[in-house]
Amino acid sequence: MQKSDLRIVFMGTPEFAVETLKALVENNYNVVGVVTQPDKPVGRHGSVLQAPAVKQYALEHGLPVLQPEKMKDPLFVEQLRDWNANLQVVVAFRMLPEVVWAMPRYGTFNVHAALLPDYRGAAPINWAIINGETQTGVTTFFLDHDIDTGRIIRQKTFDIPDSADVEYVYDGLMHLGAGLCIETIEDIIASDGHPEALPQDDTKAIHAAPKLFKENCRIDWSALTARQVHNMVRGLSPIPGAWTMLKAPDGTETMLKVYKTTPLTPPERGKTAGQLSRDKKHLFVGCKDTLLQIESLQLAGKKRMDASAFMNGIGDIEKYSVE
């Protein structure tokens, strides 16, 4: 098979997917069309529609775009078939029905931001950091009937520094995934459409990576150690952000997001879980085991600030707690 023989349809939505689409275009692959999510209403009244990042890039480079509401819509399936693709590449999209993923002659492969079979699901980057992993990676695999379970084609690892947050790992995996996609396509070309692909070992699927909701982003100070809270904050920073409720002396509560923390070395025991305290320059909060230093945070309705600015505006910090 020659490179020119491939007709590729790309499917993806956010910025993470743009880097892979960009790699395909800049490496002169024949991308015959792009599928992405419908435009979303934004603004206070939802009166403005914002195009997904993938659509914006596609239109800038003259690529045709489809934005189906439903992946089984007969009209969409017909339009997709008319592109006559023999390979589909999926990055950060949604679950595809068999009528879509089985359509191309050479199949459909996904670029997933984890080392499958571990961290199957919608938020693998976040959960890897939340769970304190020191290494993650990217995987290319052929789609099948279930989510993130298909035969693995290639994998590459990526180290997670102790201070790294989601933004750092997201950016690293975004670029790593784009390169792995190109290598995977080179495998497909060299093997005439049949690259070596190994079944996943389900016994190694230790962690799940479910979608994040507001409820599972709330910090439980009494149930988590300082290290666990630190990892949770890193794993949710800057978006969507770990949060808690700040309780004032008069009993009023305000939502508070925490963006950056630092474990104390050596650990220091102090107030009960959720109790705030300070020294001349630093803000601390009690966790299940020890104190944790808070460096960056944001009160509802306010801008993100460092701990010193927060303490200057709050008054007697010892009278406040979080829960």
Side-chain angles (χ1 to χ4, degrees):
M1 181 197 304
Q2 300 298 314
K3 183 177 180 178
S4 58
D5 295 332
L6 279 182
R7 292 177 58 84
I8 299 171
V9 164
F10 182 85
M11 300 185 182
T13 299
E15 178 191 6
F16 189 91
V18 172
E19 192 66 26
T20 300
L21 177 57
K22 179 182 176 183
L24 292 171
V25 170
E26 293 184 351
N27 281 276
N28 298 313
Y29 283 98
N30 183 19
V31 179
V32 297
V34 171
V35 181
T36 190
Q37 297 275 39
D39 296 358
K40 287 189 175 182
V42 295
R44 180 174 296 180
H45 304 291
S47 57
V48 178
L49 291 178
Q50 183 176 61
V54 161
K55 177 183 178 180
Q56 295 177 39
Y57 180 88
L59 294 181
E60 289 170 1
H61 291 80
L63 301 175
V65 176
L66 292 176
Q67 296 176 274
E69 292 281 352
K70 297 180 179 179
M71 299 302 290
K72 291 184 179 180
D73 179 0
L75 177 59
F76 162 68
V77 173
E78 181 181 350
Q79 291 172 321
L80 184 62
R81 188 172 284 113
D82 285 345
W83 280 343
N84 195 30
N86 47 23
L87 178 68
Q88 290 176 161
V89 177
V90 180
V91 185
F93 195 43
R94 51 177 159 167
M95 188 173 182
L96 304 181
E98 184 174 3
V99 67
V100 172
W101 59 257
M103 188 182 296
R105 176 183 176 186
Y106 302 126
T108 300
F109 76 82
N110 182 278
V111 180
H112 185 74
L115 298 174
L116 292 174
D118 219 9
Y119 292 102
R120 294 169 176 165
I125 299 176
N126 304 91
W127 286 107
I129 302 172
I130 290 170
N131 289 334
E133 301 288 359
T134 58
Q135 189 178 75
T136 184
V138 287
T139 302
T140 53
F141 68 97
F142 283 116
L143 294 190
D144 62 13
H145 292 91
D146 298 313
I147 297 177
D148 300 335
T149 61
R151 294 173 296 127
I152 292 174
I153 310 168
R154 275 182 174 258
Q155 290 187 315
K156 277 191 175 181
T157 60
F158 182 85
D159 292 336
I160 306 176
D162 181 62
S163 60
D165 60 13
V166 168
E167 191 170 41
Y168 174 90
V169 180
Y170 181 100
D171 185 70
L173 294 185
M174 179 174 68
H175 290 89
L176 192 67
L180 192 66
C181 173
I182 298 302
E183 293 177 12
T184 300
I185 293 177
E186 290 173 350
D187 289 344
I188 290 172
I189 293 172
S191 62
D192 197 26
H194 299 89
E196 182 180 6
L198 302 176
Q200 294 188 32
D201 181 356
D202 288 344
T203 64
K204 295 182 179 179
I206 301 170
H207 305 95
K211 187 175 180 179
L212 294 169
F213 296 96
K214 183 178 179 180
E215 293 73 22
N216 56 11
C217 294
R218 184 171 186 173
I219 303 169
D220 188 339
W221 303 96
S222 61
L224 300 177
T225 66
R227 172 59 61 174
Q228 289 171 326
V229 174
H230 173 66
N231 290 338
M232 181 178 182
V233 169
R234 292 192 302 131
L236 298 172
S237 181
I239 296 174
W243 66 279
T244 186
M245 296 302 295
L246 177 69
K247 190 171 183 178
D250 63 2
T252 58
E253 295 185 342
T254 307
M255 186 176 179
L256 178 72
K257 286 194 173 184
V258 183
Y259 291 105
K260 187 176 181 182
T261 58
T262 298
L264 301 182
T265 306
E268 290 186 24
R269 295 189 177 276
K271 304 291 185 179
T272 57
Q275 181 62 52
L276 295 177
S277 59
R278 63 173 295 174
D279 60 19
K280 290 184 178 181
K281 296 182 178 180
H282 306 107
L283 174 65
F284 309 103
V285 61
C287 300
K288 179 182 178 181
D289 55 348
T290 63
L291 292 179
L292 180 66
Q293 182 179 333
I294 298 179
E295 294 191 18
S296 178
L297 64 171
Q298 181 180 17
L299 279 168
K302 304 290 185 179
K303 293 183 178 180
R304 181 172 171 174
M305 66 186 83
D306 60 28
S308 59
F310 172 77
M311 290 187 293
N312 288 338
I314 207 74
D316 190 353
I317 201 70
E318 301 281 349
K319 294 181 179 180
Y320 289 78
S321 62
V322 287
E323 57 184 36

